[in-house]
Amino acid sequence: MHYRELSVPGAWEITPKQHGDPRGVFLEYFKGGPFAEATGHAFDLQQANCSVSAAGVLRGIHFADVPPGQAKYVTCAKGAVLDVVVDIRVGSPTFGRWDTVLLDDTDRRAIYLGEGLGHAFMSLEDDSTVLYLCSTGYAPGREHGIHPLDPEIGITWPTTARDGSPLTPQLSEKDTAAPTLAEARAAGLLPDAAVVEEYVQGLRDRARGA
């Protein structure tokens, strides 16, 4: 299992080792030890989600208030999605930066997004099945969104599906009505980088028994 930190600090791409034979494939897509070595703290699993999406479905950009935020460890069990992390932490040196990881049923990578980061993905194939491990449970009052097509962020979304057919973004009513990054910042919805760092440092201190 190999961890690679992305260009957005606090997010990692995880590539598992696959064991295949004529029967199929076995892999460990999450292990507590390597996770703690990479991030400096344990992952406190509180909720596990599964979504199934048609080709072109675009979910996000979603985030939660910090503290406690909602860290996510995400993989794609079937199909393929382009997963995107966005730095929405006000005061961060990389504020507004985004990075991507292709999650699919070939390389079977995962992505970890720490507290205070924005998360979105686009499905590249019908019935793409995404599994999320979450550090906190769903709490509607502290969940927020940013429009995934906001030109200020400028995410380069795929225009071609896995089979070569054209993709048209399909958004939920909630995501379509989401504010831009600038509007969310003006409304005071975005997490503060210093608050996020203090919270994550607290997780690391507890892991060390400080």
Side-chain angles (χ1 to χ4, degrees):
M1 183 171 287
H2 175 70
Y3 275 72
R4 178 180 68 88
E5 190 164 18
L6 301 180
S7 63
V8 175
W12 281 264
E13 171 194 87
I14 303 99
T15 303
K17 184 176 181 180
Q18 301 189 55
H19 305 275
D21 61 28
R23 301 170 300 163
V25 175
F26 175 85
L27 68 145
E28 299 166 333
Y29 84 90
F30 175 82
K31 293 187 72 174
F35 176 88
E37 289 177 12
T39 66
H41 60 82
F43 186 81
D44 184 15
L45 174 60
Q46 293 297 321
Q47 183 170 312
N49 301 333
C50 175
S51 68
V52 181
S53 302
V57 167
L58 180 50
R59 300 181 185 269
I61 303 165
H62 299 150
F63 65 99
D65 291 338
V66 181
Q70 187 183 61
K72 298 175 182 176
Y73 191 103
V74 185
T75 193
C76 182
K78 176 187 177 186
V81 304
L82 184 71
D83 202 280
V84 179
V85 54
V86 184
D87 192 346
I88 56 170
R89 300 167 294 194
V90 176
S92 168
T94 54
F95 178 77
R97 180 183 296 177
W98 54 273
D99 205 346
T100 67
V101 175
L102 176 64
L103 306 180
D104 62 21
D105 52 16
T106 300
D107 294 320
R108 304 185 188 277
R109 292 188 178 95
I111 183 174
Y112 171 69
L113 309 97
E115 290 82 358
L117 298 176
H119 177 239
F121 70 79
M122 175 181 273
S123 174
L124 307 180
E125 181 176 290
D126 284 341
D127 298 324
S128 290
T129 303
V130 175
L131 306 176
Y132 319 63
L133 305 181
C134 303
S135 66
T136 59
Y138 176 65
R142 56 181 179 81
E143 305 282 341
H144 308 286
I146 297 169
H147 201 291
L149 303 180
D150 179 2
E152 180 184 354
I153 301 174
I155 298 170
T156 305
W157 293 108
T159 57
T160 305
R162 205 179 191 189
D163 63 3
S165 60
L167 280 178
T168 300
Q170 301 180 49
L171 281 67
S172 68
E173 291 184 5
K174 182 178 179 180
D175 288 342
T176 300
T180 64
L181 182 66
E183 290 169 342
R185 183 174 186 175
L189 297 177
L190 301 183
D192 180 88
V195 172
V196 173
E197 178 56 31
E198 181 180 8
Y199 181 78
V200 174
Q201 187 58 50
L203 297 178
R204 294 173 178 149
D205 289 344
R206 286 196 291 275
R208 294 195 301 265

